[in-house]
Amino acid sequence: MLAHNQRMTTRRGTTLIESVLAMALVAAIASTLLGTLAYLRNTELRRAQRLSAAEIAHRLVLQHLDDPRALDPFRGEPIRLGTVGYRWDIQADRLRVDEQVERSAEDTRNAKTINRMSRLIVRVWLDEDSGGTTEWAYAEGVPRYELIRVFDRLPLHNPDSMTNRISNEEGIRELVNELTGGASR
């Protein structure tokens, strides 16, 4: 037995195993937090790139509506927005009303108006130098945006577009073809 004066001393502290387990727990928590932060950062980056693709698509629509031939020299060229590049494509298809359906006089007038309409498809996606691809078909998972608009080929929506259209002989010829029901572009 111990004497009354002698005290039993015990040490309070951690063992090596407790220290290793605590460090492993801190490392697991830090790894989870860093992984989550990286995921959120990449998600935000992709969202911003898709938003930029949408902005470019809207600008291309406006440019096409003002002058359908203005973008032709730049087809295949990527558009740079800061350090990020975007590929793009534009397709315009004429809309037609089936001519074999019987119609009233009002329906015929509406059909002529509809026959002046076109469908514009604008596709914009991240280019290969910025982590994307060269082709829309292979752009699955890549930030991209597709915009489809139906529009009247007569530039009545903007006086500046009309002035631009009649400023050259080819534009006047296209305008006359549209007004008279002839085929243009």
Side-chain angles (χ1 to χ4, degrees):
M1 278 201 138
L2 293 174
H4 189 317
N5 309 12
Q6 290 181 336
R7 293 191 181 173
M8 191 160 180
T9 57
T10 58
R11 278 192 175 173
R12 297 291 290 169
T14 58
T15 64
L16 179 61
I17 292 177
E18 291 172 331
S19 297
V20 169
L21 288 176
M23 289 174 54
L25 183 61
V26 168
I29 291 171
S31 173
T32 302
L33 287 175
L34 288 176
T36 302
L37 290 175
Y39 173 77
L40 291 174
R41 184 182 149 276
N42 286 338
T43 300
E44 177 61 22
L45 177 65
R46 293 297 190 182
R47 187 202 60 77
Q49 290 170 335
R50 187 170 188 277
L51 186 62
S52 295
E55 175 65 27
I56 291 170
H58 284 279
R59 289 180 184 190
L60 291 171
V61 166
L62 291 175
Q63 183 68 39
H64 182 84
L65 291 177
D66 280 343
D67 184 0
R69 292 176 308 280
L71 295 170
D72 289 345
F74 304 105
R75 286 196 184 269
E77 299 278 330
I79 295 174
R80 308 278 324 153
L81 198 60
T83 59
V84 181
Y86 294 89
R87 295 243 174 231
W88 57 278
D89 182 43
I90 292 181
Q91 298 172 347
D93 303 326
R94 294 176 72 98
L95 299 180
R96 289 278 179 209
V97 173
D98 188 3
E99 298 295 334
Q100 297 179 6
V101 176
E102 281 190 42
R103 346 186 142 78
S104 67
E106 183 178 337
D107 288 341
T108 302
R109 282 192 305 275
N110 290 338
K112 287 180 182 178
T113 301
I114 290 173
N115 285 339
R116 269 197 343 244
M117 305 298 272
S118 280
R119 177 182 67 163
L120 184 67
I121 303 171
V122 179
R123 295 181 177 121
V124 179
W125 66 97
L126 201 61
D127 78 353
E128 65 280 4
D129 294 335
S130 301
T133 182
T134 57
E135 304 268 337
W136 172 264
Y138 303 114
E140 194 63 41
V142 171
R144 63 186 185 161
Y145 195 80
E146 182 176 44
L147 186 61
I148 301 173
R149 291 286 184 261
V150 174
F151 68 99
D152 189 341
R153 285 188 306 279
L154 286 178
L156 304 174
H157 57 279
N158 185 343
D160 292 334
S161 296
M162 181 62 87
T163 303
N164 183 33
R165 183 71 62 94
I166 62 174
S167 66
N168 61 57
E169 203 171 301
E170 186 178 350
I172 293 171
R173 190 174 22 253
E174 287 178 358
L175 188 60
V176 169
N177 282 340
E178 291 299 335
L179 288 170
T180 60
S184 80
R185 204 167 149 81

